Amino acid sequence: MEIASRHILLTGATGGIGAATAGTLAAPGTKLTLVARDPARLRELADRVALSCGGVATVAADLSVSSVAADVVAQATDAQGEIEVLVNCAGINDFGRFAVAAPDTIDIMVATNLLAPVQLTRAVLPGMLARGRGRIVNVGSVMGGVGFAGFGVYCATKFGLRGFSEALRRELRGSGVSVAYVAPRYTRTALNTVAMDRMAQAVRMNTDAPETAARAIAAAVDGSKADHVIGLVERLLVRFNGLLPGVMDISLARLNRRMAEHAEMESQIAEGNV
């Protein structure tokens, strides 16, 4: 891939991590196509990065509707040519007791966090394979390797995205198309509710600014590393959870109990009982 003339399609572009990533990826020879739901916020972001880019385009789309993936890719290709890099950064979260999770919220989260990256990858892959080059970067979470109380559906989507990335990477080996998975830890963005921030502070969770995740994503775009979990402690947690999940059940019992308490509080607030 000629980095100087690459075209990158970035989803979730107006989110905290997405906007920081757009700024980090912006370079004179790079064409960015930014995807998010709000046209006004997209235009504002595009204006900010335009002077640093070789070209910038926007596509307003709701990625929770899986049928839009092919149209997003078509619009991006029409605007700026073939896509060399796809960065699946769009995602939503929900914190609370799973027993009272709204069915619609579950559907939207699975569609946005898991089905959209899968469908977008499916849409860009034939072109990448035909050219014999390309890069898929899926942005997951530490919670794609370790399950935590209060984040059942979110963890499910990120575990799924991690598995998809691993399987596809092995399938595409030798094709010239590579797949990377980046797992940020708790990041300070507007995606987090007040209750989530209170929980993170109460359990002393390591937190990052969006720029930390953006740098890791940019490194994944440019490099050959297949997986990157941000944070040494978090990397160890993911590794040990994979090797000894029963031991981790015990080791994380107190932490998960406190997280569950905060999840209960969040659910009570959502139900109007607090």
Side-chain angles (χ1 to χ4, degrees), residues 59-113:
V59 178
D62 181 357
L63 294 178
S64 69
V65 181
S66 62
S67 60
V68 308
D71 186 54
V72 167
V73 170
Q75 288 187 56
T77 303
D78 288 345
Q80 303 204 94
E82 299 294 345
I83 297 163
E84 280 85 22
V85 182
L86 169 64
V87 181
N88 284 308
C89 192
I92 58 174
N93 205 343
D94 188 50
F95 178 55
R97 288 189 298 123
F98 177 69
V100 296
D104 288 350
T105 300
I106 294 172
D107 289 345
I108 291 171
M109 194 178 308
V110 172
T112 303
N113 295 2

Side-chain angles (χ1 to χ4, degrees), residues 211-231:
E211 289 73 19
T212 299
R215 287 191 293 270
I217 295 166
V221 168
D222 291 335
S224 58
K225 191 172 182 180
D227 289 291
H228 179 61
V229 178
I230 296 177

Side-chain angles (χ1 to χ4, degrees), residues 25-226:
L25 291 174
T30 296
K31 294 181 288 185
L32 287 177
T33 296
L34 309 173
V35 182
R37 284 176 293 183
D38 189 326
R41 292 179 64 192
L42 272 173
R43 190 69 258 163
E44 181 183 345
L45 176 62
D47 290 343
R48 289 207 309 268
V49 302
L51 293 179
S52 303
C53 286
V56 61
T58 63
V59 178
D62 181 357
L63 294 178
S64 69
V65 181
S66 62
S67 60
V68 308
D71 186 54
V72 167
V73 170
Q75 288 187 56
T77 303
D78 288 345
Q80 303 204 94
E82 299 294 345
I83 297 163
E84 280 85 22
V85 182
L86 169 64
V87 181
N88 284 308
C89 192
I92 58 174
N93 205 343
D94 188 50
F95 178 55
R97 288 189 298 123
F98 177 69
V100 296
D104 288 350
T105 300
I106 294 172
D107 289 345
I108 291 171
M109 194 178 308
V110 172
T112 303
N113 295 2
L114 181 56
L115 296 182
V118 169
Q119 295 285 8
L120 285 162
T121 300
R122 173 62 182 82
V124 301
L125 193 54
M128 290 182 175
L129 288 172
R131 294 187 298 275
R133 66 183 187 277
R135 183 78 161 158
I136 309 293
V137 178
N138 291 323
V139 181
S141 169
V142 169
M143 292 186 183
V146 184
F148 288 100
F151 294 95
V153 179
Y154 183 76
C155 287
T157 63
K158 296 303 184 178
F159 267 79
L161 186 61
R162 180 177 170 224
F164 170 67
S165 303
E166 182 178 283
L168 188 63
R169 179 168 63 246
R170 292 168 179 169
E171 180 178 328
L172 297 177
R173 186 175 178 85
S175 70
V177 181
S178 57
V179 181
Y181 176 81
V182 180
R185 57 189 179 182
Y186 196 86
T187 304
R188 297 185 293 275
T189 73
L191 183 69
N192 307 327
T193 63
V194 173
M196 288 167 61
D197 286 337
R198 282 199 301 262
M199 176 276 297
Q201 185 175 11
V203 302
R204 298 183 180 180
M205 190 175 286
N206 293 323
T207 64
D208 292 317
E211 289 73 19
T212 299
R215 287 191 293 270
I217 295 166
V221 168
D222 291 335
S224 58
K225 191 172 182 180

